[in-house]
Amino acid sequence: MKTLKSLTAAVLLFVSISAFAYDEPGSEKMNMNYALKTYIQAVANGQVNGFAEVLDRDVKFTVTGGKKVINYNKSEMVTFAKQNENMQQNCSTDYKIVELNNAQAMVKVTMIYPDFTKVNFVSLANTSEGWKITNVTSSF
């Protein structure tokens, strides 16, 4: 009986350690804060590492400037980000979570430039691959 208890304890310990070790490396990349901060780093500071991974495959970017509305898809935005890699925007950024639940989030990201302010509404969804950006609507 003592051997059975020891064996059971050893198996439980192994399973616990294995589960922890398996979840740990990807857990940061699965959370909403990682996706949001990766987006902000890419658009404000040109740090594109991980940018494509936090975008949903069907993500839509809409930019409104005055009466002009332009739409971009994931491929176009990733290409644009790579072309502007390491380009630091002359702005300060701030964000506010507008709505958050277990399935989705809406975040207002404000980029304050010397002469104007750009507002980005970023929609995120909690997918089977972690939190992904599904839509970005920008206006200035």
Side-chain angles (χ1 to χ4, degrees):
M1 188 67 172
K2 220 179 212 186
T3 306
L4 182 60
K5 286 182 183 180
S6 296
L7 183 58
T8 302
V11 168
L12 287 174
L13 181 62
F14 176 75
V15 169
S16 297
I17 291 171
S18 297
F20 178 75
Y22 177 76
D23 288 340
E24 191 61 31
S27 65
E28 179 182 318
K29 292 184 178 182
M30 298 287 285
N31 73 44
M32 188 201 68
N33 285 331
Y34 175 81
L36 181 61
K37 290 183 180 194
T38 299
Y39 167 78
I40 292 170
Q41 288 296 332
V43 298
N45 302 320
Q47 297 176 3
V48 298
N49 287 344
F51 182 57
E53 290 79 23
V54 299
L55 302 177
D56 188 68
R57 70 177 178 271
D58 297 323
V59 65
K60 180 179 177 184
F61 291 84
T62 304
V63 180
T64 305
K67 293 182 180 181
K68 191 172 185 177
V69 177
I70 304 169
N71 293 304
Y72 300 99
N73 62 29
K74 179 178 181 173
S75 175
E76 292 167 324
M77 283 307 295
V78 169
T79 298
F80 178 78
K82 286 180 181 178
Q83 290 171 344
N84 293 286
E85 188 170 7
N86 297 319
M87 185 178 291
Q88 178 81 30
Q89 297 289 316
N90 184 22
C91 69
S92 61
T93 59
D94 191 23
Y95 69 91
K96 178 181 178 188
I97 298 174
V98 177
E99 186 67 36
L100 173 64
N101 59 45
N102 291 333
Q104 61 186 359
M106 173 62 74
V107 181
K108 180 181 180 181
V109 178
T110 307
M111 300 173 72
I112 304 167
Y113 292 86
D115 298 329
F116 68 97
T117 299
K118 181 178 179 184
V119 176
N120 303 293
F121 286 98
V122 181
S123 299
L124 299 102
N126 191 359
T127 72
S128 61
E129 299 172 354
W131 285 86
K132 300 285 184 177
I133 295 170
T134 57
N135 193 305
V136 178
T137 303
S138 302
S139 63
F140 54 96

